[in-house]
């Protein structure tokens, strides 16, 4: 459990010199080891990437698939040249996770990139629950998500990007 927790960002605030946003995350596994994970990092000076995900199953197999999924996703996102490449990064990650997946494990993923200059949020969903956005009046609203497949299930699938403007 401690090895799995050490793979997640735990230093807050993570980017003290960035005043455009504030971010905090935590994960409490239902069992001692599980497959839920999150990640966030700067793709460049102006783009924050956020990943929220959940691997199928529990225990050591889920934890191992979680670490693989997190690493594969981040590597493909960081190789992208533009925010529009986010869907291609998800498609490539899916193909990678399908290889040698005899256990048929899968992961649901919400992957988003926020432009810190404009507030435009580009996102791709792979079967994950819709996240909430806090409105100015302190109400919350779900982000609309198109139905998509999970990562690791079907090798040939092209993901599409969506976008919203944040205030």
């Amino acid at each position: 459990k401690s090895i799995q927790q050490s793979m997640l960002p735990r230093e807050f605030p993570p980017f003290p010199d960035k005043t455009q946003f504030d971010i905090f995350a935590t994960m409490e596994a239902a069992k001692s080891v599980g497959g839920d994970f999150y990640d966030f990092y700067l793709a460049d000076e102006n783009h924050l990437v956020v990943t929220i995900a959940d691997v199928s199953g529990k225990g050591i197999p889920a934890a191992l698939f979680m670490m693989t999924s997190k690493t594969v996703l981040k590597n493909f996102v960081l190789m992208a040249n533009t925010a529009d490449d986010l869907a291609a990064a998800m498609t490539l990650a899916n193909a990678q996770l399908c290889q040698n997946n005899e256990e048929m494990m899968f992961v649901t993923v919400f992957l988003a990139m926020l432009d810190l200059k404009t507030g435009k949020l580009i996102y791709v969903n792979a079967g994950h629950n819709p996240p909430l956005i806090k409105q100015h009046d302190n109400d919350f609203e779900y982000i609309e998500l198109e139905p998509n497949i999970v990562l690791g299930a079907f090798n040939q699938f092209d993901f599409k990007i969506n976008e919203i403007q944040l205030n």
Side-chain angles (χ1 to χ4, degrees):
K1 182 177 180 178
S2 64
I3 293 170
Q4 183 182 19
Q5 289 285 337
S6 72
M7 295 289 295
L8 305 175
R10 296 180 298 165
E11 186 177 317
F12 298 100
F15 313 106
D17 58 325
K18 295 289 184 186
T19 59
Q20 303 96 324
F21 66 93
D22 191 17
I23 190 167
F24 180 82
T26 185
M27 187 199 66
E28 299 295 328
K31 294 186 176 183
S32 61
V33 182
D36 297 340
F37 71 93
Y38 63 87
D39 199 6
F40 54 84
Y41 48 90
L42 293 171
D44 59 36
E45 192 65 24
N46 297 310
H47 292 93
L48 172 70
V49 177
V50 175
T51 305
I52 305 167
D54 185 10
V55 172
S56 61
K58 300 291 177 213
I60 299 299
L64 291 171
F65 200 75
M66 166 257 173
M67 290 185 205
T68 300
S69 301
K70 180 181 174 294
T71 302
V72 166
L73 278 164
K74 185 172 185 177
N75 287 343
F76 281 121
V77 170
L78 290 176
M79 289 185 343
N81 294 320
T82 68
D84 291 339
D85 291 340
L86 206 60
M90 186 81 94
T91 299
L92 291 169
N94 179 55
Q96 182 74 42
L97 292 172
C98 284
Q99 291 181 4
N100 302 318
N101 187 6
E102 285 86 22
E103 296 298 315
M104 294 304 297
M105 298 205 65
F106 62 88
V107 58
T108 65
V109 178
F110 177 81
L111 177 65
M113 183 179 288
L114 175 63
D115 187 317
L116 300 177
K117 287 185 175 182
T118 67
K120 182 170 135 181
L121 184 74
I122 293 177
Y123 60 94
V124 182
N125 189 53
H128 201 70
N129 298 333
L132 292 165
I133 298 290
K134 185 176 180 182
Q135 304 299 317
H136 280 295
D137 59 4
N138 289 329
D139 281 342
F140 290 87
E141 184 177 303
Y142 285 102
I143 293 179
E144 289 188 34
L145 300 177
E146 296 178 18
N148 267 335
I149 67 162
V150 296
L151 295 188
F154 301 100
N155 193 18
Q156 300 294 323
F157 190 83
D158 291 324
F159 291 88
K160 307 284 188 259
I161 62 169
N162 296 283
E163 64 181 65
I164 58 172
Q165 183 64 44
L166 299 181
N167 295 323

